[in-house]
Amino acid sequence: MEYLPLGRTTTQIPKIGFGAWQYRGGAGVLRRAHELGAAFVDTAEAYGSEAQVARDIGDLRDEYFIATKVSPANLAYDDVLSHADASLERLETDRIDLYQVHHPNPDIPIPETMRAMRQLVSDGRVRFVGVSNYSVDDMKESQDALGDVPLVANQVRYSVAARQIEDAILPYCQEHGITVIGFSPLVKGDFGDPALERLDEVAAEVGKTPAQVLLNWVIDRPGVMAIPKTDRVERVDEAVGAVGWSLTPDQRRRLTGD
C-alpha cells in the first residue's frame, strides 16, 4: 500500500480505502482490507451501515481509520453533538477518526456547525474534521470558523468521467493541504460511459483490470485518495492492486480525451 498525509497532519492514510454506502459485505471485506494495508473505511449516519462496520472491524478497531458523516439536517450545534454520540454508539468506539459534514445546509450557518466540530475535537470524541461536497467558498468559511482546528479533507465525486472538481476544488485543496477523498471513483461500475471508450485498451497495455486503471487515475493526483465500495473480498485485492504503478501521461490523456 502507498500512503499520504491526512491534510497537513502527520497522520498517514492509505491511498485506497473503502466506502460503506449500501455496504453488506461481512467481516471478510474489511478484514482483508486491513491485511493489505487499506484499513480506512468511510460510512455515514445516513448510510445505515455504521453498526455493520463496527461488527466487521471487531477487535481491529485500534488499527482502523474510521470516517463517518453527519447529515445536513443535523448541522445545528446541539444536533451535531448528539448525532456524533449516536454514531459513536453504533460504531462501538470512543472516538471518530474523521467526522465529516455530509452536505452543506444553507439554512444552518457553517460557523455554528464548525463550533460543534471544535467542541468534539476538544473533548476527544473526534480526532479530525472534514467535509463532503463543499465548494471552495464553503471550505474557506469552514476553516475560518474552525480556527486552529484544521480542515483536513473534502470528500467529493471524482473519476475519469466526473472531473468537475478540477476547475477549482482540487487546486484549492492541493494548495491548502486538504486531502481529497474521491467517491464513486469507478463511475458506479458503468464502464460503458462514453468517457471510458479507451479504458480496455489502456488496461491491456498496462496489464491491469479496468477498475485498477480507473482507481490509479484518481489516486495518482497529489493529495487524493479513493474509496471504492465492494461487498466482495476478491474486489478488495483488485482495488489495492491499483497502487504501486502509474499510467503514462499519454495514457491519462487518452482516457480523458484531453
Side-chain angles (χ1 to χ4, degrees):
M1 178 52 62
E2 296 178 350
Y3 299 85
L4 72 163
L6 178 63
R8 288 180 170 166
T9 76
T10 59
T11 296
Q12 297 285 307
I13 56 174
K15 287 189 174 182
I16 296 290
F18 291 90
W21 179 64
Q22 295 186 336
Y23 171 72
R24 303 178 187 86
V29 168
L30 296 185
R31 287 187 171 267
R32 182 58 176 161
H34 171 265
E35 291 172 359
L36 296 177
F40 181 111
V41 62
D42 175 81
T43 182
E45 63 177 4
Y47 294 171
S49 61
E50 289 174 323
Q52 182 69 52
V53 165
R55 287 191 293 270
D56 290 357
I57 288 175
D59 59 356
L60 297 175
R61 170 62 188 102
D62 289 341
E63 300 174 45
Y64 240 95
F65 190 100
I66 297 177
T68 192
K69 309 179 199 72
V70 58
S71 297
N74 306 321
L75 300 186
Y77 180 85
D78 289 340
D79 290 340
V80 173
L81 301 184
S82 64
H83 282 260
D85 283 339
S87 285
L88 286 164
E89 183 174 352
R90 289 188 292 269
L91 289 164
E92 299 179 24
T93 186
D94 62 354
R95 81 278 184 196
I96 296 166
D97 293 308
L98 176 63
Y99 201 35
Q100 304 155 100
V101 178
H102 206 151
H103 291 273
N105 183 340
D107 296 325
I108 301 175
I110 286 176
E112 178 176 353
T113 301
M114 295 304 157
R115 183 165 62 91
M117 291 291 200
R118 283 179 58 87
Q119 182 60 47
L120 290 168
V121 171
S122 177
D123 62 26
R125 284 179 278 179
V126 166
R127 292 178 62 204
F128 301 109
V129 176
V131 293
S132 184
N133 303 296
Y134 267 39
S135 68
V136 168
D137 287 343
D138 291 337
M139 286 188 284
K140 289 178 179 178
E141 188 172 0
S142 296
Q143 186 59 81
D144 287 345
L146 285 167
D148 59 356
V149 173
L151 178 67
V152 300
N154 188 6
Q155 185 176 147
V156 288
R157 185 184 302 275
Y158 192 39
S159 71
V160 169
R163 302 173 59 197
Q164 294 87 346
I165 69 165
E166 294 177 358
D167 292 338
I169 292 172
L170 179 59
Y172 180 86
C173 288
Q174 290 173 329
E175 180 181 355
H176 294 272
I178 299 171
T179 300
V180 168
I181 302 174
F183 71 80
S184 295
L186 297 177
V187 202
K188 293 187 176 180
D190 183 13
F191 296 170
D193 187 294
L196 307 177
E197 59 182 21
R198 300 287 183 88
L199 179 59
D200 288 340
E201 174 185 306
V202 171
E205 288 176 9
V206 296
K208 303 293 182 179
T209 68
Q212 288 170 332
V213 169
L214 292 174
L215 289 171
N216 183 271
W217 185 93
V218 170
I219 64 174
D220 213 34
R221 290 295 183 97
V224 180
M225 71 170 295
I227 50 168
K229 177 263 177 184
T230 186
D231 289 330
R232 297 165 58 186
V233 174
E234 63 268 26
R235 294 299 188 196
V236 176
D237 290 71
E238 181 181 21
V240 172
V243 304
W245 55 279
S246 294
L247 297 164
T248 67
D250 176 67
Q251 288 166 338
R252 291 182 66 88
R253 284 193 298 269
R254 282 154 54 203
L255 285 172
T256 58
D258 291 349

